[in-house]
Amino acid sequence: MTQTAHPVDEVPPARHLAAFGLQHVLAMYAGAVAVPLIVGGAMKLPPADLAYLITADLLVCGIATLIQCIGFWRFGVRLPIMQGCTFAAVSPMVLIGTTGGGLPAIYGSVIVAGLAIVLLAPVFGRLLRFFPPLVTGTVILIIGISLLPVAGNWAAGGAGSADFGEPKNLALAAFVLATVLGVQRFAPAFLSRIAVLIGIVAGLAVAVPFGFTDFGGVGEADWLGISTPFHFGAPAFEFSAIVSMLVVALVTMTETTGDLIAVGEMTERKVEPRSLADGLRADGLSTVLGGVFNTFPYTAYAQNVGLVGMTRVRSRWVVATAGGILVLLGLLPKLGAVVAAIPAPVLGGAGLVMFGTVAASGLRTLTEVDFKGNNNLTVVAVSVAVGMLPVGVPTVYAKFPDWFQTVMNSGISAGCLTAIVLNLLFNHLPARAGSGAADADSDAGETGGLPRGGVEEGVEKSREETV
C-alpha cells in the first residue's frame, strides 16, 4: 500500500503553484516594503538608496522564505511560512540610524541579533510546553485582531495619504472584499482557493481606469538589481545599538513562535520543540543575511498565516514558490515596481478577510478550552486587553524606556507574554485548597503545549471548515 504524502509535503501542479504563490506574495508585499521605506525615509536617504533597500529586502525575503519552507539540516520549520521584515525593529533602527550610527551601526546590530537568535532557538524550543491551547488560542486571536487596523488603513487609502478615508477608497476595498467572498462561495474549488488573487486582480482592473494607481514608477525602475554585501560600508558594532536589537530579537522570537504554532494547527502538522527550534534558527540565519545584504531582521508574517487558513492550501511548496517569486522581484526591480503600483484599498479589501481569518482561527482553538470552574477566562481577557492596548492607543508607552517600548508596543509580544505569565500563575503554580480546575490545564501544558488525540483532530477539522 502506497503511503500518501502529508498535505504539507504535497507538490501541486505547476500552474497551481504559480497562482497560489503569487497570492502569498501579494498578501505580504506591502508589509515587506514598508520597513525599508520607513527606515530609509526617517534617515532621509536619497531615492536611489531607498530603491536599493527595497530590492535588497525583497531578495532576502525570498531567500528567508525558501530556507523556512524547504529547510536544510537544522534550519527551517518546513511549513508554509512566509518571511518578511519585522515591524518590531523599526523604532530601534530609526533611533540607531538617526543618532549618528547610520546604516553600518544598524547592520552590525542586526548581525549580532541574528546570531543570538540562532543560539537561543533551542531554549525557545523547550518552552513549547508553556503554550497549551489556552495560550496559543489567545495569541492567535491577538495576532489577528492586531493586524486588522493595518487592513483598515489600507482600505482607507494608506496611512498618511492625501485622500485617506475618502468614500471612493472604502468603496474599492468593499468591492475587493465582495469579490473575494463571492469567488470563495460560488466558484469551483480551485478558483475559490485563489479568491484573494482574483479579488486583487479585479480590484486592480477597476482601480486603473478610475485613476487609483500610477504605473509611472515602472518605467523609471531598473531592469536588473543585484544586492552586494555591505553596500553601505562595513558594519559597525555599537554596544547600545546591539542591546536594543537583542530586545527586538526576543520580541520577534515570541511572535514567530505564535505564528509557527498557528500554522502547525492549521496544517495538521503539530509543531514540536525540535521543529520550533529549527524554525527560529532559520529566522536567525535570515536576520544575519539581512545584516550582510543591506536589509533588516526577519520574522514569520502573520498575514500569510491567515491566507493558509482561509484557502486551506497547506503545501509548503506553494510558499516556497512565493519565495522564488520574491527573489525574482528583488533581482528585477521593474517587476517589483509593477507589484508596488497596486493601490492600498485593493490590498485592504483582501486584508480584512485574511486577518479576520487569523482571529477566527484563534477563537476556534479557544472553543476547545475548558472555561468552567477555573480562571481561564481571566487569562484570555487580560491577555487580549494588554495586547490591544498599544494597538488602540499607540502612544500609551511613549514615556517609558526604549527597551520597554520595543517589547510592549508590539501587541503580539505584549499579549503573548501576558498569556504565558497568567497561564503559569493560574494553571501551573500550586492550586488553592479545594481548587482542582487548574490541574487539567497544567497537564495540557506539560504534554508539549498542544492538544492531543481527538481534541487536536477536532480543532483541525473545524479549522479546515472556516470561511
Side-chain angles (χ1 to χ4, degrees), residues 366-382:
L366 288 174
T367 59
E368 301 300 324
V369 176
D370 181 15
F371 288 100
K372 296 179 181 177
N374 54 39
N375 295 294
N376 287 342
L377 194 63
T378 301
V379 174
V380 176
V382 176

Side-chain angles (χ1 to χ4, degrees), residues 103-118 230 233-237 242 245-246 284-297:
L103 286 172
I106 291 176
Y107 294 140
S109 64
V110 167
I111 290 171
V112 174
L115 293 173
I117 293 173
V118 172
F230 307 124
F237 299 96
I242 290 172
M245 205 56 66
L246 288 175
L285 175 59
S286 302
T287 298
V288 172
L289 290 176
V292 172
F293 286 95
N294 321 293
T295 178
F296 308 114

Side-chain angles (χ1 to χ4, degrees), residues 77-101:
V77 72
R78 296 168 176 83
L79 285 172
I81 291 287
M82 202 84 180
Q83 298 284 107
C85 279
T86 173
F87 282 85
V90 169
S91 295
M93 289 191 301
V94 168
L95 190 63
I96 295 167
T98 55
T99 54

Side-chain angles (χ1 to χ4, degrees), residues 404-464:
F404 187 89
Q405 291 186 50
T406 300
V407 176
M408 299 302 291
N409 271 344
S410 165
I412 297 171
S413 64
C416 183
L417 292 173
T418 304
I420 293 171
V421 170
L422 292 182
N423 178 56
L424 290 173
L425 176 65
F426 287 114
N427 295 327
H428 283 259
L429 293 181
R432 294 169 297 178
S435 172
D439 295 339
D441 288 324
S442 187
D443 289 342
E446 291 169 3
T447 60
L450 293 175
R452 298 170 293 176
V455 174
E456 181 186 36
E457 186 178 346
V459 173
E460 305 307 338
K461 282 183 179 177
S462 61
R463 190 177 311 289
E464 287 296 310

Side-chain angles (χ1 to χ4, degrees), residues 211-236:
F212 279 89
T213 188
D214 178 17
F215 287 97
V218 177
E220 299 172 6
D222 295 329
W223 278 105
L224 186 64
I226 299 176
S227 300
T228 53
F230 307 124
H231 175 79
F232 296 99

Side-chain angles (χ1 to χ4, degrees), residues 266-447:
M266 291 176 180
T267 58
E268 296 185 10
R269 177 172 280 180
K270 186 174 71 170
V271 173
E272 303 288 352
R274 173 168 175 160
S275 55
L276 173 59
D278 291 348
L280 293 172
R281 205 177 278 112
D283 261 16
L285 175 59
S286 302
T287 298
V288 172
L289 290 176
V292 172
F293 286 95
N294 321 293
T295 178
F296 308 114
Y298 285 85
T299 187
Y301 259 28
Q303 48 262 59
N304 296 88
V305 174
L307 192 55
V308 171
M310 176 188 162
T311 62
R312 293 167 291 180
V313 177
R314 295 176 282 176
S315 171
R316 61 191 172 107
W317 297 104
V318 164
V319 180
T321 302
I325 294 172
L326 283 173
V327 170
L328 278 178
L329 292 176
L331 294 174
L332 303 172
K334 202 171 283 290
L335 279 181
V338 172
V339 178
I342 297 174
V346 172
L347 297 174
L352 285 171
V353 66
M354 287 191 302
F355 303 162
T357 300
V358 179
S361 298
L363 291 175
R364 285 288 186 182
T365 300
L366 288 174
T367 59
E368 301 300 324
V369 176
D370 181 15
F371 288 100
K372 296 179 181 177
N374 54 39
N375 295 294
N376 287 342
L377 194 63
T378 301
V379 174
V380 176
V382 176
S383 301
V384 172
V386 172
M388 290 303 99
L389 199 56
V391 176
V393 189
T395 58
V396 66
Y397 300 121
K399 303 295 184 183
F400 284 75
D402 291 337
W403 66 267
F404 187 89
Q405 291 186 50
T406 300
V407 176
M408 299 302 291
N409 271 344
S410 165
I412 297 171
S413 64
C416 183
L417 292 173
T418 304
I420 293 171
V421 170
L422 292 182
N423 178 56
L424 290 173
L425 176 65
F426 287 114
N427 295 327
H428 283 259
L429 293 181
R432 294 169 297 178
S435 172
D439 295 339
D441 288 324
S442 187
D443 289 342
E446 291 169 3
T447 60

Side-chain angles (χ1 to χ4, degrees), residues 186-208:
F186 299 107
F190 169 67
L191 292 179
S192 70
R193 292 183 174 183
I194 56 169
V196 170
L197 177 60
I198 293 173
I200 290 175
V201 171
L204 191 58
V206 171
V208 171

